[in-house]
Amino acid sequence: MSRYSAAEIEAKWQEAWERAGIFRAERAEGRPKYYVLEMFPYPSGRIHMGHVRNYTMGDVVARYKAATGHNVLHPMGWDAFGMPAENAAMEKGGHPKDWTYGNIADMREQMKPLGLSIDWSREFATCDPEYYGQQQALFLDFLDKGLVYRKNAVVNWDPVDMTVLANEQVENGRGWRSGALVERRELTQWFFRISDYAEDLLAALERLDNWPPKVKTMQANWIGQSRGLQFAFSLIDGPEGHDRVEVYSTRPDTLMGASFIGVSPDHPLARQLEKDDADLAAFNAECRRMGTSEEELEKAEKKGYDTGLRARHPFDTSWELPVYVANFILMDYGTGAIFGCPAHDQRDLDFARKYDLPVRDTFVPAEPDADVASPEAGGPAYVPPKSEAVRYVRGFAGPEHQTGEAAVEAAIRFCEDNGVGQGVTKYRLRDWGLSRQRYWGCPIPVVHCEACGVVPERKENLPVTLPDDVSFDQPGNPLDRHPTWRDCACPACGKAAQRETDTMDTFVDSSWYYARFTAPRSETPTDRAEADYWMNVDQYIGGIEHAILHLLYSRFFARAMHVCGHLPEKSQEPFDALFTQGMVTHEIYMTRDAGGRPVYHLPEDVAQGYLKATGEPVEVVPSAKMSKSKKNVVDPVSIIERFGADTARWFVLSDSPPERDVEWTDAGAEAAHKHLARVYRLVAEIAQEPAEAAPQDADTALLREMHKTIHDVTAGVDSFGFNAAIARLYAFTNTLARTQAGGAAKREAARALAQLMAPMTPHLAEELWQMLGGEGLVARASWPRADESMLVDDTVTLPVQINGKRRAEIEVPAELEKSEVEKRALATDAVQRALDGGQPKKVIVVPGRIVNVVV
RNA sequence: GCGGGCGUGGUGGAAUGGUAGACACAAGCGACUUAAAAUCGCUAGGGCGCAGCCCGUGCGGGUUCGACUCCCGCCGCCCGCACCA
């Protein structure tokens, strides 16, 4: 008998699948379709274990759905624009295009041996002119519908990458890619009107039943809905055009505690005043320089500048409040102006004490804490608990007892009734700035004409392709200094004009690729017949790191594409179900240098806990994210060469639940490989055995176990319980290896085993299927069905508890009556001993489960 | 500060309110072998006076015949957001 040779088996069956063309997806009206998609990779040049895990999960779903009668679409492509290609060009010379397409070819070669059931005929890269040309067409459609616009705005400028970043791409005040401190610059940029969809994007989250709650919460927080009052303070002798200041407050119930007005340094009023006030101009300039990173904000003092202006309180016109420009007020949020209520906001209180402003309580705690001084008496700000505290809204609306939210609503109503402002709902979500000052991206298809202004390019002139003759020997955007590419004719008047040299944020590319996969060669962005059939993505799988950016942008894009007629109404939420998988981690070996900084080592340089070269003891951190710098990367290619793809697939699915991190261990991978070899030997033996029956009991027992396994594995695969499904397959293999059943029953069980393993280890499964004389490819065999009648045993072993503690077991027929079960349980020695001649207080019989005797 | 999640053997982890630790890793013992590898079998939460009993799912309480699971209060760790008015 031959040994398990993954290399031979895998090559053989990949070729067989290829020949049969079984993964090519074609529209078939009337057949249930299933679209499974994993987040497409960036072509860095190497696949990593995270890819293996991600695509294996998707492949399990795709193969399982195909086996259960679905018409499956499972495509693959490349998120191919972006900075690394330009960085490589700058560092090593060469062209971003060559670098990118070279990497794609390499990665495709690394990925194919995994045996994924992908329809490669649909492959595309976002840097293909055929793709980004359609993206330009979308841009023009969006422009037409007012979904994208140009404005002058203060933007986040990344000084290292020399480009603008969207709010979502700034983390702790630093660029998400470069890590550089972001500066604020005023530029004219293109924006998607995503904020118009804030309410819908928030409300629709509730209907995404098959999304992780965590992701929905993160998106909801990002969209940031708040309810408050917007109203104005009138200014006494304000400058020209500024007789009032609009403020927004989520706490209008504290209005009677107001003690100052604060405006942002970027507020129009501040900008007006600084023209005649050099000190204020200096103060504002200082504020604008200040970064927004967490450390800086922690340290930064709350500073204000008294403009000398006074404002009138809306409920008491004799009450005047000073107007400050303050460094902690954001122009981006609300109206860029606030009223400060020191008694009930710690930040306002700090500010008030610093500038000697009044502190006035408006609430009385329901149960005042005698040990804590009131804010008026020098204590901390009193912030009433949101839901519990009954409090007074002192000073207006009478001494009204209200709790939390209701008090706010009551205050809004009261203010509206008295002609002071109106209740409004605001969102934190800002419009998405998409202009990037980069070369390697999708050109924005507009032209700047001296006579006509900004003119959209004509659709028949698309794609506006990137020029190949560019150099990266100096920083900045090579399109800006290209001698001829910018020159063009104005699409409106025909006179000489200049192209926009900004390109689109690469997140645009990934915001609609899922729709393009339904008709990747279409001459329009989508083909409605195909999109209507294949959309939505039934199961989307990817990393949690995309919880906000990519998934929010995609949800917006799907809506916008629907408005333009490129997607059906149902696809406004493009991903019916989302699964976020964990990382693959691996241990790291480290020592410390003289300064206590960690130094990382490759596993082969370590022996028995000591560094081979120096004999230093090595610390082992068991579970860290794989990264080059930590020298703990496991290369999938070498794993596949050593063990085969089936082993890699089996291992990344076993051990840990898919949403959690899984730790890669060599021992685990070896064990996975041994197990597959064992299954191979076992099934090869069974295939040789004569197909005869054995004692009835043994055959029935094996087949019962088989049906239970079919049931459990199906349930596992159906609900992303891959680790549990694999554990069940281990157990079934153990049963099959030890059974006394005859050849016929064993053969039937082995066939089921091959089928159940097929989604996870498809090559081995084909080989087993063939050995067992299965018809055709197991990849196209229909999923086995569990026979309900085989799932219940004739007799069951019931634990007998005394006062909730297990004390005995009884074997009873499964259908035995409750009263008889009770009788037998009471007859056990353990229960007799416990009763000591007395009567039980109570006996609980849960049929098929347990008996509990209370004494 | 706000929001969310998690806490079970040496390790990864399993358990519709019903026998806690399935399955696997690592470990130990044994069989086969001249030997090793491979393979197969066995042991395995802790403890005690070991046919039996006690303790045990972060800690303290509660509900229940019965709690890893539900409720209340702590502790610890992780993640997301945050000068957001």
Side-chain angles (χ1 to χ4, degrees), chain A residues 41 44-52 55 78 106-114 633-637 640:
Chain A
S44 61
R46 300 296 299 176
I47 64 166
H48 53 70
M49 277 297 167
H51 291 128
V52 174
Y55 303 135
W78 310 95
D106 289 348
M107 282 180 80
R108 193 191 299 114
E109 283 316 297
Q110 294 160 32
M111 212 183 271
K112 286 220 165 162
L114 280 170
V633 173
V634 176
D635 178 17
V637 172
I640 292 169

Side-chain angles (χ1 to χ4, degrees), chain A residues 721-734:
Chain A
F722 303 133
N723 58 325
I726 284 183
R728 195 67 183 80
L729 288 168
Y730 267 108
F732 184 53
T733 305
N734 291 340

Side-chain angles (χ1 to χ4, degrees), chain A residues 126 196 328 331 384 389 395 414 435 464 474 496 550 559 619 679 768:
Chain A
T126 56
D196 277 7
F328 59 87
M331 192 57 221
F414 179 85
S435 302
V464 175
Q474 42 185 306
H550 163 60
R559 283 165 170 74
E619 280 178 68
V679 171
L768 302 179

